[in-house]
PDB file of all heavy atoms in Angstrom:
ATOM      1  N   ARG A 355     -13.058   0.969   0.666  1.00  0.00           N
ATOM      2  CA  ARG A 355     -13.648   1.091   2.003  1.00  0.00           C
ATOM      3  C   ARG A 355     -13.323   2.468   2.593  1.00  0.00           C
ATOM      4  O   ARG A 355     -14.166   3.149   3.156  1.00  0.00           O
ATOM      5  CB  ARG A 355     -13.087  -0.021   2.902  1.00  0.00           C
ATOM      6  CG  ARG A 355     -13.644  -0.020   4.326  1.00  0.00           C
ATOM      7  CD  ARG A 355     -13.076  -1.160   5.160  1.00  0.00           C
ATOM      8  NE  ARG A 355     -13.445  -2.461   4.626  1.00  0.00           N
ATOM      9  CZ  ARG A 355     -12.606  -3.419   4.255  1.00  0.00           C
ATOM     10  NH1 ARG A 355     -11.303  -3.243   4.370  1.00  0.00           N
ATOM     11  NH2 ARG A 355     -13.044  -4.555   3.773  1.00  0.00           N
ATOM     12  N   ARG A 356     -12.071   2.886   2.414  1.00  0.00           N
ATOM     13  CA  ARG A 356     -11.669   4.161   3.021  1.00  0.00           C
ATOM     14  C   ARG A 356     -12.246   5.358   2.284  1.00  0.00           C
ATOM     15  O   ARG A 356     -12.576   6.371   2.905  1.00  0.00           O
ATOM     16  CB  ARG A 356     -10.151   4.234   3.084  1.00  0.00           C
ATOM     17  CG  ARG A 356      -9.629   3.114   3.955  1.00  0.00           C
ATOM     18  CD  ARG A 356      -8.305   3.415   4.511  1.00  0.00           C
ATOM     19  NE  ARG A 356      -7.746   2.221   5.124  1.00  0.00           N
ATOM     20  CZ  ARG A 356      -6.707   2.241   5.927  1.00  0.00           C
ATOM     21  NH1 ARG A 356      -6.112   3.376   6.200  1.00  0.00           N
ATOM     22  NH2 ARG A 356      -6.259   1.124   6.450  1.00  0.00           N
ATOM     23  N   ILE A 357     -12.371   5.261   0.973  1.00  0.00           N
ATOM     24  CA  ILE A 357     -12.975   6.376   0.229  1.00  0.00           C
ATOM     25  C   ILE A 357     -14.430   6.546   0.670  1.00  0.00           C
ATOM     26  O   ILE A 357     -14.900   7.664   0.917  1.00  0.00           O
ATOM     27  CB  ILE A 357     -12.878   6.144  -1.300  1.00  0.00           C
ATOM     28  CG1 ILE A 357     -11.412   6.243  -1.747  1.00  0.00           C
ATOM     29  CG2 ILE A 357     -13.736   7.159  -2.055  1.00  0.00           C
ATOM     30  CD1 ILE A 357     -11.186   5.879  -3.212  1.00  0.00           C
ATOM     31  N   VAL A 358     -15.145   5.429   0.830  1.00  0.00           N
ATOM     32  CA  VAL A 358     -16.552   5.495   1.242  1.00  0.00           C
ATOM     33  C   VAL A 358     -16.648   6.071   2.661  1.00  0.00           C
ATOM     34  O   VAL A 358     -17.425   6.989   2.936  1.00  0.00           O
ATOM     35  CB  VAL A 358     -17.204   4.100   1.161  1.00  0.00           C
ATOM     36  CG1 VAL A 358     -18.586   4.099   1.807  1.00  0.00           C
ATOM     37  CG2 VAL A 358     -17.302   3.643  -0.296  1.00  0.00           C
ATOM     38  N   LEU A 359     -15.819   5.529   3.555  1.00  0.00           N
ATOM     39  CA  LEU A 359     -15.829   5.987   4.951  1.00  0.00           C
ATOM     40  C   LEU A 359     -15.493   7.482   5.040  1.00  0.00           C
ATOM     41  O   LEU A 359     -16.175   8.263   5.720  1.00  0.00           O
ATOM     42  CB  LEU A 359     -14.807   5.170   5.741  1.00  0.00           C
ATOM     43  CG  LEU A 359     -14.767   5.340   7.245  1.00  0.00           C
ATOM     44  CD1 LEU A 359     -16.013   4.740   7.862  1.00  0.00           C
ATOM     45  CD2 LEU A 359     -13.529   4.639   7.812  1.00  0.00           C
ATOM     46  N   GLY A 360     -14.444   7.880   4.338  1.00  0.00           N
ATOM     47  CA  GLY A 360     -13.992   9.273   4.404  1.00  0.00           C
ATOM     48  C   GLY A 360     -14.988  10.224   3.774  1.00  0.00           C
ATOM     49  O   GLY A 360     -15.232  11.318   4.297  1.00  0.00           O
ATOM     50  N   THR A 361     -15.591   9.819   2.674  1.00  0.00           N
ATOM     51  CA  THR A 361     -16.573  10.675   2.003  1.00  0.00           C
ATOM     52  C   THR A 361     -17.778  10.874   2.915  1.00  0.00           C
ATOM     53  O   THR A 361     -18.308  11.984   3.057  1.00  0.00           O
ATOM     54  CB  THR A 361     -17.004  10.048   0.670  1.00  0.00           C
ATOM     55  OG1 THR A 361     -15.826   9.799  -0.104  1.00  0.00           O
ATOM     56  CG2 THR A 361     -17.921  10.964  -0.111  1.00  0.00           C
ATOM     57  N   TYR A 362     -18.179   9.789   3.576  1.00  0.00           N
ATOM     58  CA  TYR A 362     -19.294   9.859   4.522  1.00  0.00           C
ATOM     59  C   TYR A 362     -18.960  10.806   5.674  1.00  0.00           C
ATOM     60  O   TYR A 362     -19.738  11.698   6.017  1.00  0.00           O
ATOM     61  CB  TYR A 362     -19.584   8.453   5.039  1.00  0.00           C
ATOM     62  CG  TYR A 362     -20.716   8.360   6.036  1.00  0.00           C
ATOM     63  CD1 TYR A 362     -22.043   8.340   5.599  1.00  0.00           C
ATOM     64  CD2 TYR A 362     -20.461   8.294   7.398  1.00  0.00           C
ATOM     65  CE1 TYR A 362     -23.085   8.255   6.506  1.00  0.00           C
ATOM     66  CE2 TYR A 362     -21.506   8.214   8.314  1.00  0.00           C
ATOM     67  CZ  TYR A 362     -22.803   8.192   7.866  1.00  0.00           C
ATOM     68  OH  TYR A 362     -23.821   8.110   8.763  1.00  0.00           O
ATOM     69  N   ALA A 363     -17.776  10.623   6.248  1.00  0.00           N
ATOM     70  CA  ALA A 363     -17.394  11.424   7.416  1.00  0.00           C
ATOM     71  C   ALA A 363     -17.282  12.910   7.087  1.00  0.00           C
ATOM     72  O   ALA A 363     -17.442  13.757   7.957  1.00  0.00           O
ATOM     73  CB  ALA A 363     -16.077  10.916   8.001  1.00  0.00           C
ATOM     74  N   LEU A 364     -17.009  13.229   5.833  1.00  0.00           N
ATOM     75  CA  LEU A 364     -16.847  14.631   5.443  1.00  0.00           C
ATOM     76  C   LEU A 364     -18.136  15.252   4.918  1.00  0.00           C
ATOM     77  O   LEU A 364     -18.184  16.446   4.642  1.00  0.00           O
ATOM     78  CB  LEU A 364     -15.771  14.755   4.351  1.00  0.00           C
ATOM     79  CG  LEU A 364     -14.332  14.491   4.769  1.00  0.00           C
ATOM     80  CD1 LEU A 364     -13.414  14.609   3.545  1.00  0.00           C
ATOM     81  CD2 LEU A 364     -13.876  15.462   5.842  1.00  0.00           C
ATOM     82  N   SER A 365     -19.197  14.448   4.772  1.00  0.00           N
ATOM     83  CA  SER A 365     -20.374  14.979   4.079  1.00  0.00           C
ATOM     84  C   SER A 365     -21.181  15.902   4.993  1.00  0.00           C
ATOM     85  O   SER A 365     -21.153  15.784   6.224  1.00  0.00           O
ATOM     86  CB  SER A 365     -21.231  13.837   3.533  1.00  0.00           C
ATOM     87  OG  SER A 365     -21.561  12.945   4.561  1.00  0.00           O
ATOM     88  N   ALA A 366     -21.906  16.815   4.368  1.00  0.00           N
ATOM     89  CA  ALA A 366     -22.701  17.801   5.110  1.00  0.00           C
ATOM     90  C   ALA A 366     -23.643  17.083   6.061  1.00  0.00           C
ATOM     91  O   ALA A 366     -24.253  16.078   5.712  1.00  0.00           O
ATOM     92  CB  ALA A 366     -23.500  18.659   4.126  1.00  0.00           C
ATOM     93  N   GLY A 367     -23.734  17.562   7.288  1.00  0.00           N
ATOM     94  CA  GLY A 367     -24.612  16.922   8.264  1.00  0.00           C
ATOM     95  C   GLY A 367     -23.876  15.932   9.147  1.00  0.00           C
ATOM     96  O   GLY A 367     -24.287  15.663  10.271  1.00  0.00           O
ATOM     97  N   TYR A 368     -22.768  15.366   8.645  1.00  0.00           N
ATOM     98  CA  TYR A 368     -22.000  14.398   9.444  1.00  0.00           C
ATOM     99  C   TYR A 368     -20.616  14.924   9.821  1.00  0.00           C
ATOM    100  O   TYR A 368     -19.936  14.394  10.668  1.00  0.00           O
ATOM    101  CB  TYR A 368     -21.848  13.074   8.683  1.00  0.00           C
ATOM    102  CG  TYR A 368     -23.166  12.404   8.418  1.00  0.00           C
ATOM    103  CD1 TYR A 368     -23.726  12.417   7.157  1.00  0.00           C
ATOM    104  CD2 TYR A 368     -23.851  11.774   9.453  1.00  0.00           C
ATOM    105  CE1 TYR A 368     -24.961  11.817   6.916  1.00  0.00           C
ATOM    106  CE2 TYR A 368     -25.081  11.179   9.225  1.00  0.00           C
ATOM    107  CZ  TYR A 368     -25.631  11.208   7.957  1.00  0.00           C
ATOM    108  OH  TYR A 368     -26.843  10.625   7.729  1.00  0.00           O
ATOM    109  N   TYR A 369     -20.203  15.966   9.137  1.00  0.00           N
ATOM    110  CA  TYR A 369     -18.852  16.510   9.304  1.00  0.00           C
ATOM    111  C   TYR A 369     -18.522  16.772  10.782  1.00  0.00           C
ATOM    112  O   TYR A 369     -17.512  16.298  11.306  1.00  0.00           O
ATOM    113  CB  TYR A 369     -18.746  17.798   8.485  1.00  0.00           C
ATOM    114  CG  TYR A 369     -17.382  18.423   8.462  1.00  0.00           C
ATOM    115  CD1 TYR A 369     -16.486  18.132   7.438  1.00  0.00           C
ATOM    116  CD2 TYR A 369     -16.996  19.326   9.443  1.00  0.00           C
ATOM    117  CE1 TYR A 369     -15.238  18.727   7.410  1.00  0.00           C
ATOM    118  CE2 TYR A 369     -15.754  19.918   9.421  1.00  0.00           C
ATOM    119  CZ  TYR A 369     -14.875  19.616   8.402  1.00  0.00           C
ATOM    120  OH  TYR A 369     -13.636  20.203   8.379  1.00  0.00           O
ATOM    121  N   ASP A 370     -19.417  17.523  11.463  1.00  0.00           N
ATOM    122  CA  ASP A 370     -19.141  17.873  12.863  1.00  0.00           C
ATOM    123  C   ASP A 370     -19.110  16.642  13.760  1.00  0.00           C
ATOM    124  O   ASP A 370     -18.285  16.539  14.660  1.00  0.00           O
ATOM    125  CB  ASP A 370     -20.196  18.855  13.384  1.00  0.00           C
ATOM    126  CG  ASP A 370     -20.043  20.221  12.732  1.00  0.00           C
ATOM    127  OD1 ASP A 370     -18.910  20.528  12.280  1.00  0.00           O
ATOM    128  OD2 ASP A 370     -21.033  20.957  12.648  1.00  0.00           O
TER     129      ASP A 370
END
Side-chain angles (χ1 to χ4, degrees):
R355 181 179 297 123
R356 298 204 191 194
I357 291 174
V358 170
L359 188 70
T361 305
Y362 180 81
L364 290 178
S365 55
Y368 297 105
Y369 185 93
D370 290 336

